């Protein structure tokens, strides 16, 4: 049975999460399938930021550190975020960027793992992990004379040998949308005495995560993707309570001090997760992030992450089905696993090398550009040009907070038209820009 536009409208009519869309300032004429890269602005953000600037900063000035509770905003937002990732109270802070938080936790994890076993000299990660994660690990390895070992997903278990200190993985892969079994991999690593650092950049707010249930050691994640915190929003960091008060994190700034306003010349780390703060926090940005988190708090009464996950899988299943039914014969493939247990909240389509204009490249970039010109915003991630296992990818993120089933229908209809008309072959869609 093929699915029709009427079927999609019927699904929207039954969708209990549909009212959440009204929390977002979605531009008209846009189907936004890039919330995995930069989330949509919550409607509340503009007024909230204006209030912080004009009243809290403008009028109340320095008093606001106390009167507007600026000082503990990283901890308060961490507590608001915690249920989304299976963290407990006072185990998370929102602060700094994902890259910087990774440096902090990876450094702490290496200290802990190597305290007992100095012979452990390796960090293992996935070759297709997001590059900044690999670059941060590479930098730490250089600094400390350690080795970064990169493997394919199916090689991870075999790479967990007695000389490994830390396994550093991203839970949902940014290119393919493939999701790891966090509990199983963490258990396998722990059985070899290896600590686990999980990057939740494509998981937090996208799929239910249970860090404590999985017994994970350290975690970080992004505020501007599925959490809708705004461009460059503060990221988050979680450390299991069994590790949080061991070792300094390397960026031992005054906001991580036990008593910053004692102004003592020596560093005394605060107990718990607060020591993972470094310097004065970006209050305006944190205030915008709070508006993103507030939508998840509103979603609690509608079933929370479990309900969002059910809808996300229904949206991605529908997208895959419609692409296969309606866009067949145009050289598209599926990079994202069909198995729900292995899928995040995005769908990535591949296109073969040689399918581009004049047999050059894959044409995937141009197809994405033609879709963007029609208001269907996804993105493109470059493959290895046919030299290895990664094809060019058309990447579509599905945010159940603000997307409906008719949106999926319309997105696929635009894709069908772009492919059948050959409109993607126009020169204007084949010019590359700095940010893809
Ligand atoms: C998006 C993303 C980041 C981003 O890091 P920034 O420090 O915010 O630039 C890091 N890691 C992964 C896995 C990501 O997907």
């Amino acid at each position: 049975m093929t699915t029709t536009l009427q079927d999609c409208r019927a699904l929207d009519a039954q969708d209990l999460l549909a009212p959440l869309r009204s929390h977002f300032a979605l531009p008209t004429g846009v189907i936004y399938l890039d919330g995995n890269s930069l989330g949509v602005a919550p409607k509340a953000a503009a007024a909230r930021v204006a209030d912080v600037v004009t009243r809290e900063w403008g009028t109340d000035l320095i008093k606001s550190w106390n009167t507007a509770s600026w000082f503990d905003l990283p901890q308060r937002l961490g507590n608001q975020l915690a249920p989304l990732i299976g963290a407990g109270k006072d185990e998370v802070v929102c602060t700094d960027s994902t890259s910087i938080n990774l440096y902090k936790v990876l450094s702490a994890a290496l200290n802990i793992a190597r305290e007992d076993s100095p012979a452990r000299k390796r960090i293992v990660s996935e070759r297709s992990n997001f590059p900044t994660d690999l670059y941060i690990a590479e930098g730490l390895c250089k600094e400390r004379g350690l080795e970064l070992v990169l493997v394919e997903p199916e090689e991870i278990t075999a790479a967990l040998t007695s000389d490994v200190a830390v396994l550093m993985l991203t839970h949902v892969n940014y290119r393919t949308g493939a999701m790891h079994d966090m509990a199983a991999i963490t258990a396998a690593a722990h059985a070899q005495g290896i600590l686990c650092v999980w990057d939740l950049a494509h998981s937090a707010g996208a799929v239910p995560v249970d860090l404590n249930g999985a017994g994970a050691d350290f975690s970080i994640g992004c505020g501007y993707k599925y959490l809708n915190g705004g461009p460059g929003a503060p990221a988050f960091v979680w450390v299991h309570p069994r590790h949080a008060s061991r070792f300094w994190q390397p960026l031992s700034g005054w906001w991580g001090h036990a008593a910053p306003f004692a102004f003592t010349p020596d560093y005394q780390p605060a107990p718990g997760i607060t020591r993972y703060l470094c310097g004065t926090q970006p209050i305006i940005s944190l205030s915008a992030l709070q508006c993103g988190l507030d939508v998840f708090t509103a979603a609690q009464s509608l079933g929370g992450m479990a309900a969002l996950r059910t809808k996300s899988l229904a949206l991605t299943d529908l997208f895959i089905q419609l692409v296969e039914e309606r866009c067949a014969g145009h050289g598209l493939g599926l990079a994202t696993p069909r198995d729900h247990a292995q899928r995040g909240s995005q769908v990535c389509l591949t296109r073969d090398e040689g399918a581009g204009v004049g047999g050059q490249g894959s044409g995937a970039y141009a197809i994405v550009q033609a879709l963007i010109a029609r208001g269907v915003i996804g993105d493109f991630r470059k493959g290895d040009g046919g030299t290895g296992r990664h094809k060019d990818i058309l990447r579509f993120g599905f945010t159940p907070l603000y997307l409906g089933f008719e949106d999926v229908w319309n997105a696929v209809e635009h894709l069908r038209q772009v492919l059948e008309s050959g409109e993607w072959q126009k020169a204007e869609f084949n010019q590359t820009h700095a940010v893809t």
Side-chain angles (χ1 to χ4, degrees), residues 80-163:
Q80 198 175 349
L81 169 66
L84 302 185
I85 56 172
K89 189 167 183 300
D90 300 330
E91 292 178 8
V92 185
V93 282
C94 292
T95 187
D96 295 332
S97 66
T98 307
S99 304
I100 290 172
N101 287 334
L102 178 60
Y103 181 80
K104 294 185 254 185
V105 299
L106 195 51
S107 173
L110 288 169
N111 285 338
I112 292 171
R114 302 186 70 240
E115 181 182 40
D116 301 328
S117 319
R120 294 183 184 270
K121 289 191 180 303
R122 292 179 148 190
I123 299 171
V124 171
S125 192
E126 227 181 301
R127 187 165 291 114
S128 71
N129 198 346
F130 191 81
T132 201
D133 296 45
L134 301 181
Y135 303 159
I136 293 286
E138 190 182 335
L140 262 166
C141 284
K142 256 178 108 99
E143 196 178 292
R144 297 183 177 211
L146 305 177
E147 185 192 2
L148 176 62
V149 179
L150 301 182
V151 299
E152 300 300 338
E154 66 276 11
E155 298 165 346
I156 292 170
T157 318
L160 302 176
T161 49
S162 61
D163 53 354

Side-chain angles (χ1 to χ4, degrees), residues 295-320:
V295 182
F296 286 93
T297 303
Q300 275 310 321
S301 61
L302 302 173
M305 276 315 301
L308 288 166
R309 174 62 170 166
T310 302
K311 180 175 171 186
S312 154
L313 287 170
L315 292 169
T316 51
D317 275 344
L318 177 67
F319 183 78
I320 293 169

